[in-house]
Amino acid sequence: MAVSEANNGRGELRILENLDELRTDLADYIAELSEAAVKERGAFAIALSGGSLIDLMGKLCEAPYNKTVDWAKWHIFWADERVVAKNHSDSNYKLAKDGLLSKVPIVPGHVHSINDSVSAEEAADDYMFVIRQLVKTRMVNVADISDCPKFDLILLGMGPDGHIASLFPNHSALDETDEWVTFIIDSPKPPPERITFTLLVINSASNVAMVVTGESKAEAVHLAVDNIGPDCPSLPARLVHPTEGKLVWFLDKQAASKLDGLQFSD
Ligand SMILES: O=C(O)[C@H](O)[C@@H](O)[C@H](O)[C@H](O)COP(=O)(O)O
């Protein structure tokens, strides 16, 4: 693995030889953050996304993690969710349940999925209310300089267009600076209706991990991480910049292949 700090404050870059190494490194990283948060405040508030992420987290269901992680202290949220029924094949909740949550001893009451029986707008409001209650009890930590939730870890994938969660390039949801959760009804990636954490919440987290693999993402990784001059596009992934937290990129060689000045030692 090559680990380096992007020289422009764009976070730590962890570039893994292959998907197996990435899966192990990601599981170690999540397990370490979980242990630290449980030690410090008795709970671990983690937000998941959809896509390939859940499969890449798969090692957590295996030894030693399945036994060593303090699953009872985990509180699960979604950085974004598709507004479909929980048993629909498009549901990020279903993806996480089938691939992770059903395989480890998570407390069912700690799984904070969205209300799937209302409109996207109502689901976003409802989710914000749920998070607000958990911030009050400090199940979810609070930012030092605002009343914003400070998740212990937000895990994000990235599309080839540089979208993160359900924040897409040139979409007005990117400009939402008041609400913690917003909704969209015109997602370019199906299904169209989604709710998503805003940049406000993403950038208030203690830790944000961008988990990105495959050659189709290489250009977007370059645009999100490298110094690309004044024509810098407003790529959603480039706007991830935790103000009081730490950003780590988990990349395979393919996704990292267009980064400036990268040298792989074979
Ligand atoms: O629900 C979603 O669609 C996502 O949360 C989305 O932001 C996803 O993480 C990226 O599109 C990357 O997905 P892949 O890793 O599958 O390419």
Side-chain angles (χ1 to χ4, degrees):
M1 171 175 68
V3 180
S4 66
E5 197 68 32
N7 60 6
N8 52 7
R10 301 290 310 127
E12 178 184 316
L13 304 175
R14 297 191 182 191
I15 301 165
L16 289 308
E17 280 296 314
N18 53 48
L19 292 184
D20 192 55
E21 281 193 13
L22 189 146
R23 286 188 170 94
T24 302
D25 196 44
L26 183 61
D28 282 343
Y29 164 85
I30 297 171
E32 279 165 26
L33 290 182
S34 162
E35 192 180 340
V38 170
K39 198 179 275 176
E40 192 183 317
R41 46 180 226 90
F44 182 54
I46 175 172
L48 308 173
S49 303
S52 56
L53 173 74
I54 301 300
D55 174 60
L56 294 169
M57 294 171 72
K59 289 234 162 140
L60 286 170
C61 309
E62 299 169 12
Y65 313 100
N66 56 350
K67 297 277 184 291
T68 54
V69 168
D70 196 349
W71 298 105
K73 302 286 173 27
W74 277 41
H75 294 259
I76 318 281
F77 300 82
W78 275 266
D80 76 314
E81 176 59 290
R82 294 99 178 264
V83 182
V84 294
K86 283 192 180 70
N87 59 2
H88 192 284
S89 57
D90 279 341
S91 161
N92 284 347
Y93 163 80
K94 179 174 163 44
L95 182 74
K97 189 184 91 180
D98 295 349
L100 175 67
L101 307 179
S102 61
K103 299 180 179 175
V104 290
I106 301 269
V107 178
H110 292 181
V111 178
H112 305 287
S113 54
I114 73 161
N115 183 345
D116 63 349
S117 59
V118 294
S119 69
E121 183 170 8
E122 287 166 310
D125 285 348
D126 186 276
Y127 208 46
M128 212 151 34
F129 179 80
V130 168
I131 295 171
R132 197 174 292 284
Q133 301 318 303
L134 292 162
V135 169
K136 277 190 190 149
T137 60
R138 293 293 185 270
M139 242 12 133
V140 176
N141 211 353
V142 67
D144 299 341
I145 50 170
S146 68
D147 67 343
C148 201
K150 187 177 185 179
F151 285 92
D152 297 306
L153 172 61
I154 298 181
L155 289 157
L156 300 172
M158 183 184 76
D161 60 353
H163 80 259
I164 46 150
S166 288
L167 296 169
F168 291 88
N170 304 314
H171 196 286
S172 56
L174 281 172
D175 304 322
E176 179 55 70
T177 49
D178 294 329
E179 308 286 10
W180 297 347
V181 182
T182 192
F183 69 100
I184 66 171
I185 54 171
D186 55 358
S187 167
K189 176 183 177 184
E193 300 201 5
R194 290 149 175 264
I195 73 162
T196 182
F197 281 1
T198 59
L199 283 169
L200 182 66
V201 169
I202 292 171
N203 286 333
S204 296
S206 294
N207 296 279
V208 179
M210 302 280 311
V211 184
V212 184
T213 61
E215 209 171 344
S216 68
K217 316 275 178 76
E219 183 64 20
V221 169
H222 160 64
L223 293 175
V225 173
D226 286 329
N227 289 321
I228 48 173
D231 292 326
C232 159
S234 63
L235 207 75
R238 203 176 166 88
L239 304 174
V240 177
H241 202 139
T243 40
E244 300 168 12
K246 193 171 172 206
L247 171 62
V248 180
W249 289 80
F250 289 85
L251 304 169
D252 66 353
K253 273 185 156 183
Q254 285 73 23
S257 60
K258 293 193 177 167
L259 282 172
D260 287 345
L262 202 72
Q263 285 171 347
F264 292 116
S265 51
D266 290 320

